[in-house]
Amino acid sequence: MRVFRRLGATALGLFLAFGLACSDSAGPAAVKPSALVPVSGDSQGNLTGDQLFEPLTVLVNGSNGQPYSGATVTWTVTAGAATLGSPTASSDSQGFATTTVTLGATPGAISIQASVGGVAPVAFGATACDHPVLALNDTLPGSLAATDCNFGGYFTDFYEVNVPAGPQGVAFTMASGAFETWLEVYLRTGFFLGYDFEIDSPNSSSQFSAILATGNYLLAPSSLLQSSTGAYTMAALSRPAALAGCGVVWVTRGVDVSDSVTAGDCVDSTSGVYYADKVAINLDAGSVLTVAERSTAFDAALFLNNAAGTGVAFNDDSANAGTTTNAYLVYQAPVSGVYLLFVATTDSAATGAYTLSIASSTTLTGSPRRDERPQVLRMTVGGLRMPQALPGRTWSRAGT
């Protein structure tokens, strides 16, 4: 044991001497974190209690000017109410570190700081948007203000509406004497259903008429022009679950409508006189639309147009031509957007009662469920409102 102890002491002395000798030489400086750079996630808005759509991300750079891996980034809520997915994150091999943010129950501005020891911190901002309940057949006063959620320069409020028993005909109406209005409607999960806007006068109203399935919905009243503020009213009124005339009525999946084709509906006179009811539906790319039109009064026909007015699908008599007067259409959308479905007849001048069924499924029979993605304020593109064209009375029977 004494020998081992002596050898240990001797080795330690040599190591200390060698270390002291080396300390006088100029070796390369150790690389340390030197800068934090915000990458993405700043200035988001979402509903109170919901998670921000995009994580907060920073880049850690080292003193050598290269991305720094392994730095501990600390995330801190410095103002407002929010919960972080993780209060710390280690920068990856490319120098990136992220965290998710779930907004608290209090609406308003939120500030979050990212920091690394010895480096100047960076700040992110977010807005928690209030979403009070608007009951059917009720009207609430509202006001767009610079403190509201801001999407591409448009101040926006939110209201939740519950439809306890569908199909329910509704008219969501936004009216203002202060600015030109713009109204968007979503499933509560965030999937976009449709919109309405008015550009005919400075004192305008937007009215979204629809037939909705049972569920929770989200109204997003805003303005046609950027930075508009002022008072408005928001109403949710019941209306018949019907498709009278040739106005645009939006529908959701999972509704059954009983109605009639009449001479007062949409008219196609390109090769005779044909009447049709018209509905608008938003489809996510890759999702499947399944529709059935049934009638004992006339030979049914379904026509589906995209937002440009081009016919993309048609069906007459389903798979049993000559033995049934019903129509059945299955269509998988290649791109996301608004589509117009014309509930029509095969024979010229035909009228009468029918039922229209829009399946709740978004996939082909036997395929796994496909969830349509959240798209809050999807109609705002590059800071500009991007309304999709919705054709008027004249329609084409392309596909016959």
Side-chain angles (χ1 to χ4, degrees):
M1 293 295 295
R2 292 181 182 272
V3 173
F4 284 116
R5 286 174 183 171
R6 287 180 178 177
L7 286 176
T10 302
L12 178 61
L14 291 174
F15 174 78
L16 290 174
F18 180 76
L20 290 174
C22 289
S23 66
D24 293 333
S25 62
V31 177
K32 299 179 179 180
S34 65
L36 270 180
V37 180
V39 176
S40 61
D42 190 26
S43 302
Q44 294 184 75
N46 204 354
L47 306 181
T48 56
D50 285 7
Q51 184 172 295
L52 292 180
F53 293 103
E54 186 178 5
L56 308 188
T57 302
V58 294
L59 171 65
V60 183
N61 283 327
S63 52
N64 61 351
Q66 300 298 313
Y68 187 93
S69 174
T72 299
V73 177
T74 300
W75 302 90
T76 308
V77 178
T78 57
T83 301
L84 302 173
S86 176
T88 61
S90 182
S91 59
D92 63 18
S93 59
Q94 297 180 313
F96 295 115
T98 66
T99 193
T100 57
V101 179
T102 300
L103 304 177
T106 304
I110 296 169
S111 296
I112 299 169
Q113 179 178 276
S115 62
V116 172
V119 177
V122 297
F124 292 82
T127 306
C129 310
D130 200 11
H131 46 109
V133 173
L134 175 61
L136 283 176
N137 298 311
D138 199 4
T139 301
L140 293 178
S143 181
L144 293 185
T147 53
D148 290 337
C149 275
N150 187 329
F151 295 89
Y154 301 93
F155 303 122
T156 305
D157 288 337
F158 294 95
Y159 296 87
E160 285 200 48
V161 176
N162 178 53
V163 174
Q168 172 69 59
V170 298
F172 298 135
T173 303
M174 178 189 183
S176 176
F179 56 86
E180 292 181 293
T181 58
W182 178 283
L183 177 63
E184 296 181 355
V185 181
Y186 298 81
L187 294 176
R188 178 59 181 85
T189 54
F191 178 73
F192 174 72
L193 290 182
Y195 70 99
D196 191 74
F197 68 102
E198 180 58 60
I199 61 174
D200 292 338
S201 68
N203 302 322
S204 63
S205 298
S206 296
Q207 180 169 292
F208 180 91
S209 297
I211 300 174
L212 304 179
T214 302
N216 294 318
Y217 297 87
L218 190 67
L219 311 185
S222 186
S223 61
L224 179 69
L225 304 177
Q226 288 181 326
S227 304
S228 297
T229 58
Y232 66 87
T233 58
M234 188 70 244
L237 306 177
S238 297
R239 63 179 293 276
L243 305 170
C246 197
V248 174
V249 177
W250 299 81
V251 294
T252 61
R253 298 177 186 274
V255 299
D256 295 309
V257 179
S258 296
D259 212 314
S260 295
V261 173
T262 72
D265 292 333
C266 298
V267 179
D268 172 26
S269 56
T270 55
S271 58
V273 178
Y274 299 89
Y275 306 118
D277 280 332
K278 176 175 66 176
V279 297
I281 186 168
N282 185 65
L283 302 179
D284 204 1
S287 67
V288 175
L289 175 68
T290 303
V291 184
E293 178 191 7
R294 301 178 176 90
S295 177
T296 58
F298 57 79
D299 197 357
L302 289 168
F303 300 81
L304 185 67
N305 290 5
N306 61 22
T310 303
V312 294
F314 160 77
N315 185 264
D316 174 20
D317 292 338
S318 188
N320 301 307
T323 64
T324 178
T325 59
N326 299 329
Y328 185 73
L329 185 149
V330 179
Y331 177 74
Q332 186 166 26
V335 296
S336 298
V338 175
Y339 292 77
L340 294 180
L341 178 69
F342 292 90
V343 188
T345 71
T346 299
D347 301 322
S348 179
T351 59
Y354 68 84
T355 60
L356 176 71
S357 299
I358 301 176
S360 59
S361 173
T362 61
T363 59
L364 296 171
T365 302
S367 299
R369 176 180 172 80
R370 181 185 187 280
D371 292 323
E372 293 177 306
R373 68 188 187 281
Q375 300 168 313
V376 168
L377 291 163
R378 68 180 297 276
M379 301 301 290
T380 302
V381 180
L384 298 174
R385 294 298 194 197
M386 302 293 289
Q388 298 181 9
L390 297 178
R393 279 186 74 89
T394 303
W395 59 287
S396 171
R397 294 172 61 81
T400 56

